Short mmCIF file of all heavy atoms in Angstrom, two decimals:
data_model
loop_
_atom_site.label_atom_id
_atom_site.label_comp_id
_atom_site.label_asym_id
_atom_site.label_seq_id
_atom_site.Cartn_x
_atom_site.Cartn_y
_atom_site.Cartn_z
N ALA A 1 47.55 61.58 210.25
CA ALA A 1 47.28 62.52 209.17
C ALA A 1 48.32 63.64 209.15
O ALA A 1 48.83 64.01 208.08
CB ALA A 1 45.88 63.10 209.31
N VAL A 2 48.62 64.18 210.31
CA VAL A 2 49.63 65.24 210.39
C VAL A 2 50.98 64.73 209.90
O VAL A 2 51.67 65.40 209.12
CB VAL A 2 49.74 65.76 211.84
CG1 VAL A 2 50.93 66.70 211.99
CG2 VAL A 2 48.45 66.48 212.24
N ARG A 3 51.35 63.54 210.34
CA ARG A 3 52.65 62.99 209.95
C ARG A 3 52.69 62.63 208.46
O ARG A 3 53.76 62.58 207.86
CB ARG A 3 52.98 61.78 210.82
CG ARG A 3 53.26 62.17 212.26
CD ARG A 3 53.47 60.98 213.17
NE ARG A 3 53.74 61.44 214.53
CZ ARG A 3 54.84 61.16 215.23
NH1 ARG A 3 55.77 60.39 214.72
NH2 ARG A 3 55.00 61.63 216.46
N ALA A 4 51.51 62.38 207.87
CA ALA A 4 51.45 62.11 206.43
C ALA A 4 51.52 63.37 205.59
O ALA A 4 51.59 63.29 204.36
CB ALA A 4 50.16 61.35 206.11
N GLY A 5 51.48 64.53 206.23
CA GLY A 5 51.57 65.79 205.50
C GLY A 5 50.29 66.57 205.41
O GLY A 5 50.24 67.60 204.72
N CYS A 6 49.23 66.12 206.09
CA CYS A 6 47.99 66.90 206.09
C CYS A 6 48.25 68.25 206.73
O CYS A 6 48.78 68.34 207.83
CB CYS A 6 46.91 66.16 206.86
SG CYS A 6 45.37 67.08 207.02
N ARG A 7 47.84 69.32 206.04
CA ARG A 7 48.06 70.66 206.57
C ARG A 7 46.77 71.50 206.53
O ARG A 7 46.81 72.70 206.81
CB ARG A 7 49.16 71.38 205.78
CG ARG A 7 50.55 70.77 206.02
CD ARG A 7 50.97 70.85 207.48
NE ARG A 7 52.27 70.25 207.74
CZ ARG A 7 52.47 68.99 208.13
NH1 ARG A 7 51.41 68.19 208.30
NH2 ARG A 7 53.67 68.54 208.36
N PHE A 8 45.65 70.86 206.22
CA PHE A 8 44.37 71.57 206.29
C PHE A 8 43.28 70.60 206.69
O PHE A 8 43.17 69.50 206.14
CB PHE A 8 44.00 72.21 204.95
CG PHE A 8 42.71 72.98 205.01
CD1 PHE A 8 42.70 74.28 205.50
CD2 PHE A 8 41.51 72.40 204.62
CE1 PHE A 8 41.49 74.99 205.60
CE2 PHE A 8 40.31 73.10 204.70
CZ PHE A 8 40.31 74.40 205.20
N PHE A 9 42.49 71.02 207.66
CA PHE A 9 41.32 70.26 208.09
C PHE A 9 40.17 71.23 208.27
O PHE A 9 40.32 72.30 208.85
CB PHE A 9 41.57 69.54 209.42
CG PHE A 9 40.33 68.84 209.95
CD1 PHE A 9 40.11 67.50 209.67
CD2 PHE A 9 39.39 69.52 210.72
CE1 PHE A 9 38.98 66.85 210.15
CE2 PHE A 9 38.25 68.88 211.19
CZ PHE A 9 38.04 67.55 210.90
N ALA A 10 39.00 70.84 207.77
CA ALA A 10 37.77 71.57 208.05
C ALA A 10 36.70 70.56 208.40
O ALA A 10 36.57 69.53 207.72
CB ALA A 10 37.34 72.42 206.86
N GLY A 11 35.96 70.81 209.45
CA GLY A 11 34.93 69.87 209.87
C GLY A 11 33.95 70.50 210.82
O GLY A 11 34.02 71.70 211.13
N TYR A 12 33.04 69.67 211.31
CA TYR A 12 31.98 70.13 212.20
C TYR A 12 31.73 69.02 213.22
O TYR A 12 31.75 67.84 212.87
CB TYR A 12 30.71 70.42 211.38
CG TYR A 12 29.62 71.11 212.15
CD1 TYR A 12 29.65 72.49 212.35
CD2 TYR A 12 28.56 70.38 212.69
CE1 TYR A 12 28.65 73.12 213.05
CE2 TYR A 12 27.55 71.01 213.39
CZ TYR A 12 27.60 72.39 213.58
OH TYR A 12 26.61 73.02 214.27
N PRO A 13 31.49 69.37 214.48
CA PRO A 13 31.40 68.33 215.51
C PRO A 13 30.23 67.36 215.30
O PRO A 13 29.14 67.77 214.92
CB PRO A 13 31.20 69.14 216.80
CG PRO A 13 31.66 70.52 216.48
CD PRO A 13 31.37 70.72 215.03
N ILE A 14 30.49 66.09 215.55
CA ILE A 14 29.46 65.06 215.62
C ILE A 14 30.08 63.84 216.30
O ILE A 14 31.19 63.43 215.97
CB ILE A 14 28.90 64.69 214.22
CG1 ILE A 14 27.76 63.68 214.35
CG2 ILE A 14 29.97 64.22 213.30
CD1 ILE A 14 27.02 63.41 213.02
N THR A 15 29.36 63.28 217.27
CA THR A 15 29.80 62.06 217.93
C THR A 15 29.61 60.89 216.97
O THR A 15 28.62 60.87 216.23
CB THR A 15 28.95 61.84 219.21
OG1 THR A 15 29.06 63.01 220.02
CG2 THR A 15 29.39 60.63 219.99
N PRO A 16 30.52 59.89 216.93
CA PRO A 16 31.65 59.63 217.84
C PRO A 16 33.02 59.94 217.25
O PRO A 16 33.97 59.21 217.50
CB PRO A 16 31.49 58.13 218.09
CG PRO A 16 30.97 57.60 216.78
CD PRO A 16 30.13 58.69 216.17
N GLN A 17 33.15 61.01 216.46
CA GLN A 17 34.44 61.34 215.83
C GLN A 17 35.05 62.62 216.35
O GLN A 17 36.05 63.09 215.82
CB GLN A 17 34.27 61.43 214.32
CG GLN A 17 33.35 62.52 213.81
CD GLN A 17 33.98 63.89 213.67
OE1 GLN A 17 34.99 64.07 213.01
NE2 GLN A 17 33.35 64.88 214.32
N ASN A 18 34.49 63.20 217.42
CA ASN A 18 34.88 64.55 217.82
C ASN A 18 36.34 64.68 218.22
O ASN A 18 36.91 65.78 218.15
CB ASN A 18 33.99 65.04 218.96
CG ASN A 18 32.62 65.45 218.46
OD1 ASN A 18 32.47 65.90 217.33
ND2 ASN A 18 31.60 65.27 219.30
N GLU A 19 36.97 63.58 218.64
CA GLU A 19 38.39 63.69 219.02
C GLU A 19 39.29 64.01 217.84
O GLU A 19 40.38 64.55 218.02
CB GLU A 19 38.86 62.39 219.69
CG GLU A 19 38.25 62.12 221.05
CD GLU A 19 36.88 61.46 220.97
OE1 GLU A 19 36.42 61.18 219.83
OE2 GLU A 19 36.29 61.21 222.03
N ILE A 20 38.85 63.69 216.61
CA ILE A 20 39.69 64.02 215.45
C ILE A 20 39.81 65.52 215.27
O ILE A 20 40.93 66.07 215.26
CB ILE A 20 39.15 63.33 214.17
CG1 ILE A 20 39.23 61.81 214.29
CG2 ILE A 20 39.93 63.81 212.94
CD1 ILE A 20 38.61 61.06 213.13
N PRO A 21 38.70 66.27 215.12
CA PRO A 21 38.86 67.72 215.00
C PRO A 21 39.42 68.37 216.25
O PRO A 21 40.19 69.35 216.15
CB PRO A 21 37.43 68.21 214.70
CG PRO A 21 36.53 67.11 215.13
CD PRO A 21 37.30 65.84 214.92
N GLU A 22 39.07 67.85 217.43
CA GLU A 22 39.62 68.44 218.66
C GLU A 22 41.14 68.34 218.68
O GLU A 22 41.84 69.30 218.98
CB GLU A 22 39.03 67.72 219.88
CG GLU A 22 39.53 68.27 221.20
CD GLU A 22 38.97 67.53 222.39
OE1 GLU A 22 38.25 66.53 222.20
OE2 GLU A 22 39.25 67.94 223.53
N TYR A 23 41.66 67.17 218.31
CA TYR A 23 43.11 66.97 218.29
C TYR A 23 43.77 67.87 217.24
O TYR A 23 44.78 68.53 217.51
CB TYR A 23 43.39 65.50 217.99
CG TYR A 23 44.84 65.07 218.14
CD1 TYR A 23 45.28 64.45 219.30
CD2 TYR A 23 45.75 65.24 217.10
CE1 TYR A 23 46.59 64.03 219.43
CE2 TYR A 23 47.07 64.83 217.21
CZ TYR A 23 47.48 64.22 218.39
OH TYR A 23 48.80 63.81 218.52
N LEU A 24 43.18 67.91 216.06
CA LEU A 24 43.79 68.69 214.98
C LEU A 24 43.68 70.19 215.21
O LEU A 24 44.46 70.96 214.65
CB LEU A 24 43.13 68.31 213.64
CG LEU A 24 43.46 66.91 213.14
CD1 LEU A 24 42.61 66.57 211.91
CD2 LEU A 24 44.94 66.77 212.81
N SER A 25 42.75 70.61 216.06
CA SER A 25 42.58 72.05 216.32
C SER A 25 43.83 72.65 216.95
O SER A 25 44.12 73.84 216.76
CB SER A 25 41.36 72.30 217.21
OG SER A 25 41.58 71.81 218.52
N TRP A 26 44.57 71.86 217.72
CA TRP A 26 45.83 72.36 218.29
C TRP A 26 47.06 71.80 217.60
O TRP A 26 48.11 72.44 217.55
CB TRP A 26 45.90 72.08 219.79
CG TRP A 26 45.87 70.62 220.18
CD1 TRP A 26 44.79 69.88 220.53
CD2 TRP A 26 47.00 69.74 220.26
NE1 TRP A 26 45.16 68.59 220.81
CE2 TRP A 26 46.51 68.46 220.66
CE3 TRP A 26 48.37 69.89 220.04
CZ2 TRP A 26 47.34 67.36 220.84
CZ3 TRP A 26 49.20 68.79 220.21
CH2 TRP A 26 48.68 67.54 220.60
N ARG A 27 46.91 70.60 217.02
CA ARG A 27 48.09 69.95 216.43
C ARG A 27 48.47 70.57 215.09
O ARG A 27 49.68 70.78 214.82
CB ARG A 27 47.80 68.46 216.24
CG ARG A 27 49.01 67.65 215.75
CD ARG A 27 50.07 67.55 216.82
NE ARG A 27 51.14 66.65 216.39
CZ ARG A 27 52.32 67.06 215.91
NH1 ARG A 27 52.59 68.37 215.80
NH2 ARG A 27 53.23 66.18 215.54
N LEU A 28 47.51 70.88 214.25
CA LEU A 28 47.85 71.45 212.94
C LEU A 28 48.59 72.79 213.05
O LEU A 28 49.58 72.99 212.33
CB LEU A 28 46.60 71.60 212.08
CG LEU A 28 46.16 70.35 211.31
CD1 LEU A 28 44.84 70.58 210.61
CD2 LEU A 28 47.23 69.92 210.29
N PRO A 29 48.17 73.73 213.91
CA PRO A 29 48.93 74.97 214.03
C PRO A 29 50.37 74.76 214.46
O PRO A 29 51.25 75.56 214.12
CB PRO A 29 48.15 75.76 215.08
CG PRO A 29 46.74 75.27 214.95
CD PRO A 29 46.89 73.81 214.66
N GLU A 30 50.66 73.67 215.19
CA GLU A 30 52.04 73.39 215.61
C GLU A 30 52.95 73.12 214.43
O GLU A 30 54.17 73.34 214.52
CB GLU A 30 52.06 72.18 216.54
CG GLU A 30 51.52 72.43 217.93
CD GLU A 30 51.73 71.24 218.85
OE1 GLU A 30 51.95 70.11 218.35
OE2 GLU A 30 51.69 71.43 220.08
N VAL A 31 52.39 72.65 213.31
CA VAL A 31 53.22 72.30 212.15
C VAL A 31 52.96 73.23 210.97
O VAL A 31 53.29 72.91 209.83
CB VAL A 31 52.98 70.83 211.74
CG1 VAL A 31 53.46 69.88 212.83
CG2 VAL A 31 51.52 70.57 211.40
N GLY A 32 52.37 74.38 211.26
CA GLY A 32 52.12 75.36 210.21
C GLY A 32 50.90 75.09 209.38
O GLY A 32 50.72 75.69 208.31
N GLY A 33 50.03 74.19 209.85
CA GLY A 33 48.80 73.89 209.13
C GLY A 33 47.64 74.75 209.59
O GLY A 33 47.77 75.60 210.47
#
């Protein structure tokens, strides 16, 4: 998603997808998102 140009994510934790928001919580700020 980041490499495709995603620069905004909003979400709320729920198993079994929690690694997506966890990853984006640090990855998006690295690219100005």
Side-chain angles (χ1 to χ4, degrees):
V2 171
R3 291 175 180 238
C6 176
R7 291 299 179 266
F8 182 82
F9 175 94
Y12 189 81
I14 183 172
T15 304
Q17 63 84 55
N18 284 329
E19 291 84 1
I20 296 175
E22 181 181 5
Y23 189 97
L24 291 173
S25 69
W26 61 266
R27 185 70 174 101
L28 276 174
E30 287 187 340
V31 295

